[in-house]
Amino acid sequence: MHNTAIKTAPNDNVAIVATPTGLKRGSIVLGTTVLVEEIPMGHKVALQTLEMGDEVRRYGQVIGYATRTIEKGSWVNEGNISLPEPPKLDAIEYKPVRPPVEDDEELKAQLRKASFMGYRNADGSVGTKNVLAITTSVQCVAGITNFIENKIRKELLPLYPNVDDVVAFNHSYGCGIAIDAPGAIVPIRTIKNIAQNPNFGGEVMIIGLGCEKLRPEKIAPPLGEGGLSILYLQDERFEGFFEMVDGIMELAETHLQKLNQRQRTRCSVADLVVGMQCGGSDAFSGLTGNPVSGFAADLIVKAGGTVFFSEVTEVRDAIHLLVPRAMDETVAQKLKDEMAWYDNYLYQGQADRSANTTPGNKGGGLSNIVEKALGSVAKSGTSPIVDVVSPGEKVRKKGLNFVATPASDFACGTLQLAAGMNMHVFITGRGTPYGLNMVPVIKVSSNSKLANRWHDLIDFDAGPVAFGEKTIEEMGWELFHLILEVASGTKKVATDKLGLYNDLVLFNPGPLT
Ligand code: CA
């Protein structure tokens, strides 16, 4: 027998309708609540009569206040609840809360045994794919780098069978920018650090125009054991387009020869760097997909690996629950500083965090950003937060990191790539074909209705958790094993099978000129 409505914490006064077709007026949920109107799947039903001004509680937290009397059994949505103020940052004191120390020997043994086959790099990082990246210093070259990408794929990749793909990293930055503005550091270090993503094996090839403000040398990595080459299209040795093409193809071959020698070797879970992200969330995301991903995140961290969670506007309203999880006072302060920076960034644009929720989120039952954030942070699991990585920076510590990014799927994915992720887990309730060509993206659906409809786009269905058919723990382990298989290259994700890839989007808080 399926649950018809789900309560997320004992003192909640609303529950989520779980039945895929929604529930008709007169249906009885959780024993005593009789629906006074029809309520769609994912939406909230009042479990008691709420007077105007009463707290509406989900996840044991206040997600809003009733703006009029809401009868028991009524539909609770953005039309009858108000948006509370976000937690005041200065008022949050650092009082550490730690998960219990792990003493399960069987679990420890199981995690020690777990491994995957990855590409070990000279700097110690590990790739899950073997890709030739073409980094660019300015948008002016994009037409040519796209042309080159196709030509390499057709003519050179068949000669280097061990290389999975070639990717031109085109972006809108490089010229017409205020390069000395404080915000410019974000896109510059993002481009630089993406070129050093573990999946590119330390081979960095930069194509510049020649007159741009962003000098290719500024985004080149420090000289290491990998290869670095820089080519300017304005170089006077090139007479016309086809000579440029020949010049780039020649450089590409030198990098492909080295990439082709990469071999997968056995790596431990400690070598995983998994970026967690949500997109197109619904009310189930916080019940199924995010807690299941959070459970897998905890397993990876317990095994010594690295996990990122991000999306500032989706953690802002849950920050009071995250600060106690910071490793120390410095990390707690950095968390609050990133929130304050983003509050100000939004304020400058005459917006606030309430601009985050989409019509799709609301259609899926999420009334406001508070409810969305409380569900969103579940994907971080329960581990202590060891460090906070600012937008575009590279990760410094293993363990659970907060990587500060916008919630926009493409901006977040781009910044997580820069931070060094080698695997991406993306949780969706409404559905999105989101994919990246630089790292595998495992798409997790929060409800089986979506997984059934999008059977060839979703990689993992966390829906069975909603109906009690499987536990969060069972599904968390399944996702953990899937991550290892995908990281090993033995299982392909849907977007890699179909070749569906989004553009990367640079986060540029600085002005253009
Ligand atoms: Ca997102």
Side-chain angles (χ1 to χ4, degrees):
M1 178 65 184
H2 284 168
N3 297 323
T4 50
I6 301 166
K7 204 168 137 174
T8 41
N11 70 340
D12 286 359
N13 51 21
V14 295
I16 307 301
V17 170
T19 311
T21 49
L23 287 176
K24 295 255 179 294
R25 184 182 164 172
S27 307
I28 300 171
V29 297
L30 301 172
T32 61
T33 303
V34 183
L35 266 61
V36 299
E37 57 193 320
E38 187 173 344
I39 304 181
M41 180 185 93
H43 284 258
K44 290 177 287 298
V45 52
L47 300 175
Q48 65 190 64
T49 296
L50 301 167
E51 299 301 337
M52 192 171 133
D54 279 357
E55 292 179 346
V56 179
R57 288 189 308 272
R58 186 184 169 190
Y59 300 110
Q61 302 280 325
V62 177
I63 61 165
Y65 299 91
T67 53
R68 56 174 182 262
T69 302
I70 304 172
E71 298 291 337
K72 182 175 178 177
S74 304
W75 184 1
V76 178
N77 56 43
E78 65 275 17
N80 53 19
I81 72 172
S82 67
L83 178 66
E85 285 298 308
K88 287 218 177 342
L89 296 171
D90 295 342
I92 305 172
E93 279 180 57
Y94 176 56
K95 288 186 189 138
V97 174
R98 294 280 171 266
V101 175
E102 194 59 67
D103 57 358
D104 184 341
E105 289 305 322
E106 199 187 320
L107 170 72
K108 285 186 191 165
Q110 226 173 330
L111 289 174
R112 265 196 305 273
K113 241 180 19 212
S115 66
F116 71 102
M117 299 298 285
Y119 297 101
R120 171 90 47 201
N121 296 316
D123 67 357
S125 68
V126 167
T128 58
K129 259 182 148 179
N130 188 17
V131 177
L132 171 67
I134 304 175
T135 300
T136 61
S137 55
V138 69
Q139 168 63 210
C140 312
V141 307
I144 289 185
T145 48
N146 281 334
F147 180 92
I148 290 287
E149 185 191 278
N150 287 328
K151 194 171 164 71
I152 291 175
R153 194 169 290 128
K154 252 192 244 137
E155 297 173 15
L156 292 183
L157 283 191
L159 308 174
Y160 300 97
N162 205 23
V163 180
D164 294 322
D165 207 355
V166 49
V167 175
F169 173 27
N170 294 318
H171 52 77
S172 57
Y173 205 68
C175 207
I177 51 174
I179 199 149
D180 295 322
I185 187 69
V186 174
I188 295 171
R189 69 186 173 206
T190 304
I191 300 168
K192 179 174 178 170
N193 289 335
I194 285 180
Q196 297 173 50
N197 184 277
N199 284 357
F200 307 148
E203 295 301 313
V204 180
M205 177 172 159
I206 306 174
I207 307 299
L209 180 62
C211 60
E212 63 271 33
K213 279 191 192 152
L214 179 59
R215 310 310 300 163
E217 292 75 13
K218 206 166 172 161
I219 47 172
L223 278 178
E225 289 183 43
L228 167 67
S229 56
I230 297 175
L231 181 145
Y232 292 99
L233 298 184
Q234 288 173 348
D235 190 324
E236 292 189 2
R237 74 189 156 107
F238 299 130
E239 302 260 350
F241 169 67
F242 287 102
E243 284 200 14
M244 294 172 196
V245 171
D246 290 345
I248 300 173
M249 291 295 274
E250 211 174 287
L251 279 187
E253 283 230 59
T254 64
H255 293 290
L256 285 169
Q257 279 159 7
K258 288 201 256 172
L259 288 172
N260 202 46
Q261 289 165 17
R262 287 175 101 191
Q263 297 290 338
R264 286 189 189 265
T265 55
R266 193 157 295 284
C267 298
S268 80
V269 178
D271 295 312
L272 280 177
V273 184
V274 182
M276 297 277 176
Q277 196 196 165
C278 290
S281 298
D282 68 357
F284 286 96
S285 298
L287 283 177
T288 59
N290 292 349
V292 165
S293 302
F295 189 88
D298 281 347
L299 293 177
I300 293 162
V301 170
K302 280 176 193 163
T306 305
V307 173
F308 302 158
F309 73 113
S310 295
E311 303 174 285
V312 173
T313 50
E314 286 172 23
V315 306
R316 178 66 182 87
D317 285 273
I319 191 66
H320 57 297
L321 304 174
L322 295 174
V323 168
R325 289 173 54 193
M327 199 66 182
D328 54 36
E329 185 92 49
T330 314
V331 175
Q333 190 56 47
K334 276 167 89 177
L335 258 179
K336 289 195 275 181
D337 289 348
E338 288 296 343
M339 300 298 121
W341 185 92
Y342 217 93
D343 281 353
N344 185 52
Y345 168 73
L346 290 170
Y347 177 77
Q348 297 297 330
Q350 299 184 28
D352 63 30
R353 90 280 191 223
S354 71
N356 175 301
T357 36
T358 63
N361 294 150
K362 289 177 181 163
L366 291 173
S367 296
N368 60 30
I369 186 61
V370 181
E371 185 179 9
K372 187 174 173 180
L374 290 167
S376 174
V377 297
K379 63 182 177 290
S380 69
T382 58
S383 308
I385 301 165
V386 294
D387 200 8
V388 173
V389 176
S390 292
E393 281 183 346
K394 244 185 182 176
V395 66
R396 295 167 288 259
K397 288 184 183 165
K398 285 186 185 284
L400 178 68
N401 282 260
F402 179 69
V403 175
T405 76
S408 155
D409 297 350
F410 329 100
C412 172
T414 303
L415 292 167
Q416 289 189 338
L417 279 169
M421 78 167 157
N422 55 19
M423 279 295 304
H424 203 7
V425 172
F426 190 97
I427 308 107
T428 183
R430 306 289 289 169
T432 158
Y434 175 84
L436 298 177
N437 48 11
M438 296 181 178
V439 295
V441 180
I442 295 178
K443 281 221 295 300
V444 174
S445 71
S446 73
N447 65 85
S448 303
K449 197 174 166 181
L450 172 68
N452 292 335
R453 206 170 81 240
W454 282 24
H455 54 89
D456 45 7
L457 285 165
I458 297 294
D459 300 293
F460 186 91
D461 177 23
V465 168
F467 298 117
E469 293 163 355
K470 284 191 184 177
T471 64
I472 287 173
E473 190 178 332
E474 282 170 321
M475 295 224 80
W477 274 105
E478 285 178 27
L479 179 59
F480 174 77
H481 289 299
L482 177 63
I483 291 170
L484 294 176
E485 277 183 274
V486 173
S488 299
T490 47
K491 197 155 204 171
K492 265 195 152 91
V493 294
T495 48
D496 279 341
K497 279 189 219 154
L498 298 166
L500 303 182
Y501 302 122
N502 286 98
D503 292 335
L504 297 190
V505 174
L506 282 183
F507 178 44
N508 176 23
L512 297 183
T513 62

